[in-house]
């Protein structure tokens, strides 16, 4: 039977086959199972439970319309049921609910029922093993019997000691439902300010929150929260984070006797310290961990993301002045290449909030953050004005959003947080089942249209293209190859360049249609660059100093 063949399906069955609800893997779950039926189709089910009730069920299948219809119906029936009852749903329950299904594919309902049953049974076993009725968070690795967990298997070339370390880290992190990293292309744009207020706001909305500061170059969270004189205590469980109104806080700053300490740590040593730190902090069960990362687009924030593994995504902070600099775009493009979902861009210090009435005046050109986010196809979370009270609150060691909650600036901050708070209800923003890639695995080939050896302003009419291979980790150019441009033909260049392995274009100007076609091919586009040699432009791109202006041609 073809996927599109819905003959013999009732209205309800068609609906479930065409618009499968709850279709897709779940990251945080309490029970999981995967079964291949006698027909060769595979189904995979996940269930999340609160107490003894199924709160969410989801599935994937490689089967066609009939499998989709049965899987979708099974998840709908299971939700809200007791786990035990969901486990006893049978083939006929699913068929009855579908109300009319061709006899030759009714075995799909049996496969769905069996897989759901196995996932519910797995949920009950895990709840029993961890001695709790789940509240949604995954059990720790020590007790979890999920054989598909990455910490359960050796990676290629990994020693026992390395596996043990990874397990330790995983057993901490898998008790945290959502991990959000706050990034910025440069320091001083308000990354830590956003991280503190994001974490505080989530905590004020009733979530169990941790705030982790690993901005190794200037851990400012202790000062921002008035905790700079506190000391950290250890327990059998590990290092105990400080608690501030229920929010757990840990910063590398608590361990630096001298602020210069961090600066003298070299690359691998730095990562070793951060890794140890991540392994040793006893967070317990959390709904959110907000991570204030080191600034920049170099290997530090990215190695950190790799270390943590499955992050829900990144919030990227910039300012109106920095929007023009390509480092924000670079942050976004690196996130994409790492498979790290971009939760959105925040434009900080956008306009000035009057200290008396709170009214925001646009003193510098702003709004660029929104345009840039639209341009790159990522969400724009909102703008925060420059507000002297924010700086005051930071200096006084008080989270602004808690102390000035009725100001327009606090409202702007709350608006930014809405999609992140919604992760708890809606799940991940992107496909977080893809592992974060290692920097070494990132292949980057940057294409630059040329005329007379320099970037050609008119993309569609250039003489040739320079294809520049770069090593993003070492930030160096590996090789350059020039190829003749094909004869001009609308819509041809995006697939033509993608076929030649380009995953980024630096251009002077480009029409909207071409940009959209490149986006379809998964190729990043940076427009507004000046006429210069490929080496200079790519060099600046890698250093984060490439400046871009207006799109030189947007028709
Ligand atoms: P980063 O983490 O990017 O280095 P910080 O969050 O430490 O930046 O902010 C740098 C300085 O700017 C801090 O003194 C902070 O109080 C101030 N600041 C950040 N955002 C604002 C804002 N919207 N209005 C006023 N001051 C701000």
């Amino acid at each position: 039977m073809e996927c599109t063949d819905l003959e013999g399906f009732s209205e309800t069955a068609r609906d479930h086959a065409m618009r499968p609800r709850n279709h897709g893997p779940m990251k945080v779950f309490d029970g999981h199972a995967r079964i291949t039926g006698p027909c060769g189709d595979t189904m995979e089910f996940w269930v999340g439970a609160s107490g003894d009730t199924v709160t969410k069920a989801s599935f994937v299948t490689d089967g066609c319309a009939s499998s989709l219809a049965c899987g979708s119906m099974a998840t709908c029936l299971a939700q809200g049921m007791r786990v035990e009852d969901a486990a006893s749903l049978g083939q006929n329950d699913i068929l009855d609910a579908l109300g009319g299904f061709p006899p030759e594919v009714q075995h799909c309902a049996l496969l769905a029922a069996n897989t759901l049953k196995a996932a519910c049974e797995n949920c009950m076993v895990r709840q029993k093993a961890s001695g709790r009725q789940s509240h949604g968070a995954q059990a720790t690795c020590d007790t979890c019997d999920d054989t598909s967990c990455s910490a359960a298997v050796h990676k290629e070339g990994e020693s026992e000691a390395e596996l043990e370390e990874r397990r330790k880290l995983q057993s901490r992190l898998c008790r945290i439902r959502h991990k959000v990293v706050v990034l910025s292309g440069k320091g001083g744009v308000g990354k830590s300010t956003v991280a503190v207020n994001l974490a505080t706001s989530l905590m004020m909305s009733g979530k169990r929150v941790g705030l982790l500061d690993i901005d190794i170059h200037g851990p400012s969270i202790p000062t921002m929260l008035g905790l700079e004189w506190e000391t950290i205590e250890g327990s059998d469980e590990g290092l105990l984070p400080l608690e501030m109104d229920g929010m757990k806080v840990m910063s590398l700053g608590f361990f630096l006797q001298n602020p210069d300490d961090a600066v003298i740590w070299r690359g691998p040593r730095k990562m070793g310290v951060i890794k140890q730190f991540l392994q040793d902090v006893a967070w317990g069960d959390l709904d959110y961990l907000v991570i204030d990362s080191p600034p920049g687009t170099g290997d530090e924030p990215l190695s950190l993301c790799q270390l943590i593994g499955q992050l829900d995504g990144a919030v990227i902070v910039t300012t109106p002045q920095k929007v023009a600099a390509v480092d924000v775009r670079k942050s976004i493009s690196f996130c994409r290449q790492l498979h790290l979902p971009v939760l959105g861009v925040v434009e900080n210090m956008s306009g000035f909030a009057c200290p008396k009435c709170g009214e925001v005046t646009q003193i510098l050109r702003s709004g660029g953050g929104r345009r840039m986010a639209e341009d790159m196809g990522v969400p724009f979370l909102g703008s925060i004005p420059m507000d002297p009270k924010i700086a005051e609150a930071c200096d006084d060691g008080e989270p602004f959003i808690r102390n000035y909650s009725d100001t327009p600036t606090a409202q702007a901050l709350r608006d930014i947080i809405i999609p992140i708070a919604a992760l708890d209800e809606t799940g991940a923003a992107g496909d977080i089942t893809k592992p974060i890639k290692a920097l070494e695995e990132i292949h980057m080939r940057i294409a630059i249209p040329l005329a007379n050896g320099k970037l050609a302003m008119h993309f569609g009419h250039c003489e040739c293209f320079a294809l520049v291979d770069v090593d993003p980790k070492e930030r160096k150019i590996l090789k350059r190859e020039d190829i003749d441009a094909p004869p001009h033909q609308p819509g041809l260049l995006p697939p033509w360049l993608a076929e030649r392995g380009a995953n980024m274009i630096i251009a002077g100007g480009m029409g909207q249609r071409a940009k959209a076609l490149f986006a379809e091919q998964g190729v990043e586009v940076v427009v507004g660059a000046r006429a210069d040699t490929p080496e200079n432009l790519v060099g600046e791109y890698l250093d984060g100093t490439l400046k871009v202006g207006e799109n030189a041609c947007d028709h």
Side-chain angles (χ1 to χ4, degrees), residues 187-193 220 224 348-349 384-387 390-391 394:
V189 296
K191 174 178 55 59
S192 302
T193 308
S220 47
M224 285 187 176
N348 188 25
M349 309 195 199
I384 307 166
M386 167 99 70
D387 187 330
I390 290 193
C394 287

Side-chain angles (χ1 to χ4, degrees), residues 29-30 122-130 138-139 145-146:
F29 55 87
D30 296 280
N122 178 242
C123 173
M124 290 186 278
V125 168
R126 290 170 64 155
Q127 286 185 331
K128 206 164 154 208
S130 61
Q138 241 174 285
D145 58 356
D146 182 4

Side-chain angles (χ1 to χ4, degrees), residues 291-369:
I291 303 154
D292 185 11
S293 98
T297 50
D299 56 344
E300 266 178 30
L302 299 169
S303 307
L304 174 94
C305 295
Q306 288 154 7
L307 213 58
I308 296 173
Q310 292 182 331
L311 284 155
D312 287 65
V315 172
I316 297 174
V317 183
T318 187
T319 60
Q321 299 88 329
K322 302 273 196 254
V323 165
V326 94
D327 55 86
V328 186
R329 292 166 188 266
K330 204 168 132 192
S331 301
I332 295 171
S333 102
F334 271 19
C335 285
R336 285 199 175 133
Q337 291 179 38
L338 285 173
H339 293 160
L340 173 61
V342 177
L343 296 171
V345 172
V346 173
E347 187 176 272
N348 188 25
M349 309 195 199
S350 174
F352 179 76
C354 168
K356 291 215 166 69
C357 65
E359 193 188 329
V360 176
T361 314
Q362 299 303 333
I363 42 176
L364 289 167
R365 202 156 61 146
S366 51

Side-chain angles (χ1 to χ4, degrees), residues 483-497:
I483 49 170
D484 287 339
H488 183 66
Q489 191 186 322
L492 173 69
L493 281 176
W496 188 83
L497 282 166

Side-chain angles (χ1 to χ4, degrees), residues 172 232-241 250 279-282:
R172 298 275 188 216
I232 294 296
E233 290 183 10
S235 73
D236 291 347
E237 292 260 299
L239 298 172
L240 295 174
M250 184 53 91
Q279 278 168 13
D280 286 350
V281 183

